[in-house]
Amino acid sequence: MPSSNPPASDLPTRLRTALAAADYTYDGVADLLGPTAHGALSRNETVPGLQRTRGGTPLETLTRLFLLQTPVSLADAEKALPGLVDRMAVEGLLEQSVSEVAARLDVRPYSDEERDLWVVSDLTPGLDGTPNKVGADHVLGISSASTSLAQLTIREAVGSALDLGTGCGVQALHLAGHVERVVATDVNQRALWMTRLNAELNEVASRVDVREGSFFEPVRGEQFDLISTNPPFVISPATGERLVYRDSGLPGDRVVEDIVRAAPAHLTTGGWCQVLANWVIADDRSWDERLAEWVTDCDAWVVQREVVDPATYVELWLKDAGLQGSPDYVRRYDTWLGWFDEQGIEAVGFGWINLRRTDSAPTVRLEEWPYDVEQPIAPTVHDWGVAVDRLAGLDDEALLAARLVVRTDVQQETVGAPGAEDPHTVVLRQQRGLRRARQADTLVAALVGACDGELTVGQIIDALSVLLEVDAEEARAAHLPTVRELVAEGFLA
């Protein structure tokens, strides 16, 4: 195991210089591999990539060494990492023999669309179908979950942020791009060593404070403008057979509940906590009813993105642990599935939890949205918070006096028989963000179309009431709640 002390000051700088000189960046590697080999690598297959990297250039050598996990000659390694091979072997990043060099850790190019970054983590298990068994203190690298959280996290410039359960520090690197001070916590000492190294490697160490401890323990009494966390949320019996990066040791979805309940005390007023999580869907009550009870002192927008049955869930995480095909597989499967049945768990939900500390009466919205969304989704979360604030200050009279504007990406779809005078269905559909769609009656569709900032909501409803020959007061009473929903859901601003 590498030393838990912070990396020596010159290694990250010299390594960054060598990686940049070789064009070992996300785009550089993608261009080198081409779409076929790059796609194969995303499926943990290395053969196409090996065929594309036989020339011995520094970029090819680094790609073979770290991404394709194949030994390279000492001469090629020295050319790609001049003066660094011995040092990196001592620090635990490389393994060196007389004539060859192999990677002990992954050094992976990454990008946040503004900066080229590099992320050190444990090697990717399971390449080319090999067993993917990992140790209890395995430090996961860039994953679909870390990417999803990065896309969910609001990127406003703020003073302080907490990366709770940092792992190798991917979220801390993102946060350091727009936050003055980032605290990154974890219980895994290897993860903390890698987070420090990654902060140095990417020149953000002055902004990232790395602390050891469980959940909010290392930041007791502190508050933050933003908390971002992908906690070890796997729902499993607390048997002691766990992987630190994904299993909290707490039964069920207790870890997520504890974070949601504790987060408000660690948020500044207006501060956000954004969680990528799993939760129990019990056989005796709805998922949203359970989760709503966890929320206090916060606006909350919870989105259930996916639901899986217990067997599918257990298989997913046993495969993740590299147990499929092992002698222990059936026993673990049986124990886990039996525990689900004992607990009355009929399914597991995956999704997002967005909390915002408020001193006003909180707005809580829980919904299912399994459909395709625009990424990053963070601007939509931010806009929801803005809409909540604006609606909180508008009673019915103020809303009638408001001049609203339809969002530019909203389109109207109509369904009806060919040649019919009127469609029997009108749908308003967003092209961006959550890409919501909702049916609208004739008056609502016309109202949305008339919202260009010139007339008030009351003036538009009154004019449409005359045109459609309906009572204006009844139309106002009937459609003002719909107008509020249209603002909350981002159709109108």
Side-chain angles (χ1 to χ4, degrees):
M1 169 180 144
S3 166
S4 61
N5 295 322
S9 59
D10 68 332
L11 175 60
T13 300
R14 293 173 62 194
L15 177 56
R16 180 176 61 251
T17 299
L19 299 176
D23 194 26
Y24 186 63
T25 61
Y26 182 88
D27 289 341
V29 170
D31 289 344
L32 169 67
L33 294 179
T36 299
H38 198 253
L41 184 57
S42 71
R43 301 188 301 272
N44 282 357
E45 300 291 342
T46 67
V47 173
L50 291 171
Q51 291 179 349
R52 297 271 300 186
T53 55
R54 293 170 173 167
T57 66
L59 177 57
E60 290 171 307
T61 297
L62 294 171
T63 301
R64 291 174 75 88
L65 181 63
F66 293 117
L67 303 186
L68 303 176
Q69 294 182 25
T70 191
V72 300
S73 71
L74 178 59
D76 283 345
E78 289 282 11
K79 185 167 65 172
L81 299 165
L84 287 172
V85 173
D86 288 342
R87 178 69 175 281
M88 291 176 68
V90 170
E91 293 288 343
L93 281 78
L94 297 176
E95 185 172 346
Q96 183 180 355
S97 67
V98 175
S99 60
E100 285 189 330
V101 174
R104 291 182 62 191
L105 294 177
D106 188 358
V107 180
R108 186 165 297 258
Y110 187 53
S111 173
D112 67 356
E113 298 182 357
E114 293 182 0
R115 300 169 293 165
D116 287 321
L117 303 170
W118 295 274
V119 176
V120 176
S121 67
D122 276 323
L123 293 170
T124 302
L127 290 186
D128 300 317
T130 57
N132 65 341
K133 181 73 173 177
V134 298
D137 61 352
H138 179 81
V139 181
L140 191 67
I142 300 160
S143 65
S144 58
S146 61
T147 300
S148 294
L149 181 59
Q151 293 170 327
L152 177 68
T153 303
I154 293 172
R155 297 299 171 197
E156 281 191 309
V158 293
S160 61
L162 171 63
D163 176 10
L164 191 71
T166 188
C168 67
V170 173
Q171 305 307 322
L173 297 180
H174 282 290
L175 292 168
H178 61 100
V179 178
E180 294 177 9
R181 180 178 66 90
V182 179
V183 176
T185 68
D186 210 292
V187 295
N188 186 346
Q189 290 189 2
R190 296 185 71 251
L192 298 177
W193 180 86
M194 292 181 197
T195 297
R196 292 188 183 99
L197 175 57
N198 285 326
E200 293 278 358
L201 185 59
N202 293 285
E203 301 181 288
V204 295
S206 63
R207 293 190 173 198
V208 179
D209 177 7
V210 180
R211 304 182 193 176
E212 181 179 3
S214 179
F215 300 112
F216 290 106
E217 179 186 349
V219 294
R220 187 175 300 166
E222 296 181 55
Q223 291 186 321
F224 300 87
D225 302 313
L226 177 61
I227 299 172
S228 179
T229 181
N230 174 23
F233 56 59
V234 174
I235 296 171
S236 61
T239 61
E241 300 170 297
R242 66 189 186 100
L243 301 177
V244 172
Y245 76 87
R246 56 162 234 196
D247 301 303
S248 69
L250 298 173
D253 53 16
R254 173 74 178 278
V255 61
V256 178
E257 178 181 356
D258 286 356
I259 288 172
V260 171
R261 290 186 182 277
H266 293 279
L267 289 173
T268 59
T269 300
W272 288 88
C273 174
Q274 299 186 270
V275 189
L276 200 68
N278 279 182
W279 45 79
V280 165
I281 299 177
D283 57 15
D284 59 349
R285 64 192 306 202
S286 65
W287 72 273
D288 50 341
E289 181 184 354
R290 287 189 68 247
L291 267 63
E293 292 180 350
W294 301 352
V295 178
T296 57
D297 302 322
C298 276
D299 295 323
W301 184 21
V302 183
V303 183
Q304 183 163 274
R305 297 283 291 149
E306 184 181 1
V307 175
V308 299
D309 63 79
T312 301
Y313 189 80
V314 172
E315 291 164 15
L316 169 69
W317 293 112
L318 288 178
K319 291 174 184 175
D320 176 78
L323 290 170
Q324 191 176 38
S326 73
D328 210 24
Y329 181 77
V330 172
R331 180 189 67 82
R332 293 284 293 271
Y333 198 147
D334 182 67
T335 299
W336 202 336
L337 205 59
W339 179 82
F340 267 41
D341 187 55
E342 292 170 5
Q343 299 297 312
I345 298 172
E346 69 174 27
V348 176
F350 292 71
W352 313 322
I353 300 176
N354 300 286
L355 308 172
R356 188 181 61 158
R357 176 73 180 272
T358 180
D359 293 331
S360 305
T363 296
V364 179
R365 182 186 185 107
L366 299 99
E367 62 181 315
E368 294 191 60
W369 195 258
Y371 313 108
D372 182 49
V373 302
E374 180 187 31
Q375 294 290 4
I377 198 63
T380 299
V381 179
H382 172 269
D383 290 348
W384 177 82
V386 171
V388 166
D389 288 342
R390 290 177 176 168
L391 288 170
L394 294 177
D395 59 19
D396 285 353
E397 288 303 314
L399 184 57
L400 285 168
R403 301 175 190 273
L404 302 181
V405 177
V406 62
R407 209 167 75 177
T408 56
D409 65 297
V410 174
Q411 295 186 0
Q412 178 177 302
E413 301 172 359
T414 59
V415 179
E421 184 174 341
D422 295 310
H424 62 70
T425 302
V426 177
V427 175
L428 303 176
R429 188 181 302 277
Q430 299 169 352
Q431 306 303 306
R432 305 197 63 186
L434 221 61
R435 296 177 175 145
R436 294 185 185 275
R438 61 178 296 155
Q439 289 191 19
D441 62 23
T442 303
L443 190 146
V444 170
L447 184 151
V448 171
C451 284
D452 59 4
E454 293 295 322
L455 299 176
T456 67
V457 171
Q459 289 171 331
I460 294 172
I461 292 178
D462 289 347
L464 291 172
S465 298
V466 173
L467 183 65
L468 299 173
E469 298 179 347
V470 298
D471 181 79
E473 288 301 319
E474 291 180 0
R476 288 183 175 202
H479 290 92
L480 269 184
T482 301
V483 173
R484 287 188 181 277
E485 291 177 8
L486 289 166
V487 173
E489 294 179 353
F491 289 89
L492 298 174

